[in-house]
Amino acid sequence: MTAVLQPGVLFGLCGAGLVGIGLFAVVTQTGLLRRIVGCNILGAGIFLVFGAVARRGAGAGFDADPVPQALVITGIVVAFSASALAVALLKRLSELTDGDRAEAAERESGS
Amino acid sequence: MTTLLDLALVAWLLALAVHVVAQPDERSAIVAFLAFGLLLGLGWVRLAAPDVALTEIAIGGGGTGILLLRAEAALRGRDKNAEPMSTAGKAAVALGCAAVSAGLGLAVLTFSSPPPTLAPAASAALGATGLGNPVTAVLLAYRALDTLLEKVVVLLALIGVWSLAPDGLWGGAPEVKPAAVPGPLAYLARVLPPFGVVIGVYMFWVGADAPGGTFQAGTVLAAMWLLVMMAGLYPPPDTARPLLRLVLVGGPALFLAIAFLGFVFADGFLAYPEAMAKPLILAIEAALTLSVAAALAMLVAGPARKAPAR
C-alpha cells in the first residue's frame, strides 16, 4: 500500500485519470472551445504520467531523471502553441459563420 | 504529512478536471482550468521537477488561461453549433475513457523495477557542458535537436495564427486592448513590468545552474509585454514590422547557425567545442529567450485586426 502512496506512483495514477477525463471532454463536449480545454487536460495527464517516470528514474544525485523533464517542458510549449493555433482557427471560423448568417438573413429580408 | 499533501493535491486535480468538464458555464470552467494549472505546478514540485513546475505555472496555467479567457469573451454565445450527444452515447464514451485510464494506471503500477534512467549518463557529461542544471543541459546540449525543432514549431504555429488575418489586414497589428481598460489593470501595467523584466532576466541567467531557463524567462517577459499591451500603454506592433520578425527568427537562426558551425569546430551538427560550450549555450539561450517571449506574446495576441500603418 505504501508503494502506491509515493509521489511517483500517486501522480502517475492522477495523470492516468486526467487522460480519461480529458478524452471524455474532447469526444462529448458540444462547444469547440471546451474541446480545446479537454485537449489541454488530456495533455496535462500525459505529462504527469511522464513525470512519474522521471521521478522513478531518480539517480546520480538527481531527484528525478532530467531527460523526461526536459521533454515535458518541450511538450508544454508545443501544446500551448497548438492551443493558440486552435483558438485562432476557432475565432476565425466563428467570424466567418457569423458573416454567412448575416448575409443569409439579408438575402431573406431583401427577397 | 507530505503524503497527505500529495493525496489532497491529486484529489483536487481530479475534482477540478471533472468540474471543468461538467460545469455548464464556460467562463467558470475556464477559471477552474486556471486553478487546475496552478495546482498542477505544485504537483510538479512534488515530483521533484522544479523546471517543469515553473513552465507549467507560467505557460500551462497563465498563458493558456489568458488565451482561453480571451477566446471565451470573443465567442460568448456563438459557439453552439453541435447537437449534444445522447446519454447512451455519453455512457459508452465514458466506458471507453475509463478503460484508457485504467490501462494507463495499470501501466503506472507495473513500471519495471529498477526503473530505467538516463540520470547517470546526464550527470557524467554535465562537466563537459559547464552547466549546473541537468535539465538545461538536456534541452540545449544532449537533446538540442528537440529544442531547435520545438522553436520552429512555435514559429510555425505563429505563422498559422497570423495567416488567419483577413487579406486586407495582412501585416497589420493585432488588437489586444479591451474596449474599456479597468483601473487596476492600468495600474498593474505601470508598476509590474520593471519587476517582471528583472525576474525574467534573472530566471534566464540562473537557468544554467538552477531551475529556470529560456522558456520560463521567455514566458515571464511575454506576460509583461502582454500586460503593457492590454492596458493600452504601448500598442501591439504591426506583424510585418522588421524588428519584430528579426527578434522572432533571431533565436532559432542563431541556434541553427551555431549548430552548423559544429561541423567545422566540433564533432558535427549541434556539437559544441568543449571550451566554448557554456558561452555558446548562454548566447543561444539569450536569443531564444527573446524569441520565445515575442512568439508567446504574439500567439496570445492573435491575428492582425487593424490594417498596417503605411
Side-chain angles (χ1 to χ4, degrees):
Chain A
M1 190 58 208
T2 48
V4 178
L5 291 178
Q6 280 167 2
V9 180
L10 201 56
F11 283 99
L13 289 176
C14 178
L18 290 178
V19 168
I21 296 170
L23 195 60
F24 181 75
V26 171
V27 179
T28 61
Q29 291 287 347
T30 49
L32 290 175
L33 190 62
R34 285 294 189 91
R35 292 193 183 196
I36 298 176
V37 177
C39 271
N40 274 293
I41 293 178
L42 175 59
I46 293 171
F47 294 149
L48 263 189
V49 172
F50 224 50
V53 174
R55 184 70 181 90
R56 283 172 47 87
F62 304 139
D63 287 334
D65 189 349
V67 178
Q69 285 187 54
L71 294 182
V72 167
I73 292 180
T74 304
I76 290 175
V77 178
V78 171
F80 172 75
S81 309
S83 296
L85 183 56
V87 163
L89 280 168
L90 181 54
K91 279 185 180 170
R92 188 83 183 112
L93 178 71
S94 129
E95 274 172 24
L96 290 178
T97 48
D98 264 21
D100 283 356
R101 259 181 232 145
E103 236 169 65
E106 222 167 77
R107 240 178 287 136
E108 264 172 38
S109 64
S111 62
Chain B
M1 192 60 211
T2 46
T3 309
L4 209 61
L5 174 70
D6 288 344
L7 280 172
L9 260 179
V10 167
W12 265 111
L13 281 172
L14 290 172
L16 273 173
V18 170
H19 177 76
V20 169
V21 175
Q23 168 65 244
D25 178 40
E26 202 144 62
R27 187 155 24 155
S28 315
I30 289 171
V31 172
F33 180 74
L34 264 165
F36 173 83
L38 297 179
L39 280 183
L40 196 59
L42 274 185
W44 282 106
V45 174
R46 290 295 301 142
L47 283 170
D51 290 272
V52 184
L54 285 171
T55 315
E56 176 58 48
I57 289 177
I59 299 185
T64 314
I66 300 183
L67 187 76
L68 293 173
L69 278 176
R70 275 169 52 84
E72 194 275 330
L75 296 171
R76 192 166 303 151
R78 293 202 281 176
D79 185 26
K80 300 223 174 351
N81 35 18
E83 289 282 308
M85 220 177 218
S86 68
T87 315
K90 271 191 179 170
V93 174
L95 216 63
C97 294
V100 170
S101 277
L104 255 180
L106 204 66
V108 169
L109 288 175
T110 54
F111 274 151
S112 62
S113 192
T117 174
L118 287 165
S123 163
L126 204 55
T129 62
L131 298 170
N133 181 356
V135 177
T136 302
V138 173
L139 281 172
L140 284 153
Y142 317 140
R143 296 294 309 161
L145 187 61
D146 293 352
T147 312
L148 179 59
L149 289 176
E150 173 209 2
K151 286 297 155 336
V152 177
V153 167
V154 173
L155 283 187
L156 284 177
L158 184 58
I159 293 172
V161 168
W162 278 0
S163 64
L164 290 169
D167 283 348
L169 305 183
W170 174 253
E175 179 69 65
V176 187
K177 191 180 147 199
V181 179
L185 177 66
Y187 178 71
L188 262 184
R190 283 180 200 282
V191 174
L192 211 54
F195 298 102
V197 169
V198 171
I199 292 170
V201 172
Y202 174 78
M203 276 173 117
F204 146 69
W205 182 248
V206 299
D209 296 310
T214 16
F215 305 99
Q216 296 90 336
T219 318
V220 173
L221 294 179
M224 293 305 125
W225 192 23
L226 274 170
L227 196 59
V228 169
M229 290 194 292
M230 285 171 99
L233 297 181
Y234 190 81
D238 277 3
T239 50
R241 206 165 149 196
L243 180 66
L244 175 66
R245 293 190 173 183
L246 186 72
V247 169
L248 283 171
V249 176
L254 181 72
F255 204 161
L256 206 58
I258 290 177
F260 274 111
L261 284 178
F263 279 122
V264 185
F265 298 107
D267 305 331
F269 191 67
L270 274 172
Y272 309 118
E274 203 163 304
M276 287 288 289
K278 189 169 180 186
L280 281 179
I281 288 176
L282 278 180
I284 294 174
E285 280 206 289
L288 279 184
T289 302
L290 287 179
S291 281
V292 167
L296 294 183
M298 292 325 275
L299 274 175
V300 174
R305 295 249 159 229
K306 277 181 281 193
R310 294 197 198 279

